[in-house]
Each structure stands twice: as C-alpha cells, then as structure tokens.
Amino acid sequence: MKKDIHPNYRDVVFYDTSSEYKFLTKSTIETSETIVWEDGKEYPVYKIEVSSNSHPFYTGKKMILDTAGRVEKFNRRYAKK
C-alpha cells in the first residue's frame, strides 16, 4: 500500500442538533470542533440535522422538518393560477 494517501480513520462524535442525540463512531470526516465524551476523552464532533433518533421512519412519529423553506418554495412555484 502507498503511504500518505489514505484519510485519517478516527473516532468521531456525531451530534444530532434536532434531538440533542450524540453517538460515537469511526469516520474519516474532517472537522475542527471537539467535544468531551462520556469517557472523559476529547473527540472531534460533527453536527447533523437528522439521525435515526430523530428521523420519522425510525421513530414512528410524524415530524415536519423544513429547514430551508422547501415546501413554501415548491408551493409558490407550482401553485395553480
């Protein structure tokens, strides 16, 4: 294998901002923010909007998540005149 061509595979905390849910896993994602995890160690953190803890398919709850106004934009564009 060639040296210095593979990304850094490390422990990363993913933080679901919509449900305040955090989980630790391995990833190659680059991030500059860090967080202290439950074990007392500091890990890089990556913020996400949807995870299995907040997605309606996994939770069984119907939750409207419209962060960019996509529904209103669609309705304006395709509204019957």
Side-chain angles (χ1 to χ4, degrees):
M1 287 190 345
K2 294 182 181 178
K3 293 185 179 188
D4 300 328
I5 64 167
H6 301 287
N8 184 17
Y9 190 64
R10 60 194 176 149
D11 290 326
V12 177
V13 174
F14 283 84
Y15 174 53
D16 183 354
T17 56
S18 63
S19 67
E20 303 291 322
Y21 178 66
K22 300 173 191 159
F23 58 95
L24 180 66
T25 187
K26 292 194 175 276
S27 177
T28 60
I29 196 161
E30 293 295 327
T31 180
S32 59
E33 297 179 48
T34 59
I35 192 171
V36 177
W37 188 243
E38 298 162 354
D39 62 2
K41 294 181 183 176
E42 192 170 335
Y43 294 103
V45 64
Y46 187 75
K47 295 180 180 175
I48 55 177
E49 293 181 3
V50 178
S51 70
S52 61
N53 197 48
S54 63
H55 194 279
F57 180 79
Y58 297 106
T59 61
K61 298 177 184 175
K62 188 172 184 178
M63 184 172 124
I64 298 174
L65 187 73
D66 185 25
T67 59
R70 295 183 197 114
V71 173
E72 289 83 9
K73 185 177 179 182
F74 176 84
N75 287 337
R76 276 184 276 139
R77 182 178 288 167
Y78 297 106
K80 293 183 178 181
K81 295 180 183 181

